[in-house]
Amino acid sequence: MDNDPDVLSLFGGYLRANGLYTVLTGTGRACLDEVKKFKKRFDIIILDTDLYDQKGVEVAKDINLENILLKPFRLFQLLSTVKHAISRINNIGLKDHVLASYQSPTDEIQDAVQFLKNGIKNNECVMIVARRDSGLDEISEAFTVNGIDAGKLMSNNSLLLVDNKEWYIPDEKVDKHRIIDQWNDLVNRSLVSGKKGLRAFCMMDTFFEHNFVEELVDYEHELPPRFDNPFLAICAYKQSDLDKLSNSQRARMVECHNPVWIQN
């Protein structure tokens, strides 16, 4: 929203060129009308601070939306803010069972940090089940860069960092019922401690490293696509590992997750 047509054209063209759908308005009243007309939540609303009919901050007070960006800002800041607001990570919540694939560890850790950061903000216990080669120190450093005091959160058990082999295959075999009991116990402990629930980012490559692929599929298929308790899990896979699955194994994996973020 901006009262300068040239600025509107610039912003609209820039965002559309980056694959984003936009609605442009020139007044505060028109902005509020569009919000009501669409009858759905916009991912982000960009407001000019000084309009002909209303101040941008006054319009913001009339809209129940967290992602509101006020000028001044630079175009790269605009695109970064918009992409964050529409991130798939921001559109999942407790009880979702997510299947995600990653081409690079960097993308994986970026998603993990944003995912866990959202959980901390929502008063959830957060957990990362990490591979050894990712380095727990590296993950802790990523938290620090993103404004998360990992040490403080770990000290009061709000943040748990666990080795994935120790969590899933502690005695060199896969016991799916033991793993599920572990999750249920941790969810209950989270609730008792005053948290809204538990969210976990789980790096699953340890099953492939130790040749437990069929056991992995059986374990995943034992879980529902939507949990009954306040538990949110992202099962994070290397794309190269998922490519090793047979068509039937892949189909079983997809059946027990929702949403599914993998390449076809």
Side-chain angles (χ1 to χ4, degrees), residues 98-212:
V98 184
L99 174 61
S101 68
Y102 295 93
Q103 296 282 4
S104 74
T106 300
D107 291 341
E108 186 179 40
I109 289 179
Q110 286 178 346
D111 262 9
V113 171
Q114 185 58 51
F115 171 73
L116 299 176
K117 190 174 182 179
N118 288 355
I120 293 167
K121 183 178 180 181
N122 196 42
N123 190 35
E124 299 164 7
C125 180
V126 299
M127 177 177 181
I128 181 163
V129 185
R131 72 179 66 90
R132 292 180 181 181
D133 65 11
S134 66
L136 296 182
D137 289 340
E138 179 184 352
I139 295 169
S140 296
E141 182 180 352
F143 288 159
T144 301
V145 170
N146 283 270
I148 302 173
D149 188 340
K152 181 178 179 180
L153 291 169
M154 286 189 287
S155 68
N156 62 20
N157 293 321
S158 294
L159 169 63
L160 306 174
L161 300 182
V162 181
D163 179 277
N164 59 4
K165 182 180 183 299
E166 294 302 317
W167 183 259
Y168 290 115
I169 320 171
D171 49 5
E172 307 303 326
K173 66 179 181 179
V174 178
D175 183 340
K176 60 185 179 183
H177 299 295
R178 178 193 57 79
I179 299 171
I180 293 171
D181 287 343
Q182 281 183 165
W183 287 126
N184 289 333
D185 179 63
L186 200 51
V187 170
N188 291 334
R189 284 163 51 193
S190 299
L191 295 174
V192 169
S193 68
K195 301 295 183 181
K196 292 182 180 179
L198 170 70
R199 68 170 58 200
F201 191 94
C202 310
M203 299 179 181
M204 308 298 290
D205 49 289
T206 190
F207 289 95
F208 293 87
E209 291 173 1
H210 295 86
N211 298 314
F212 288 122

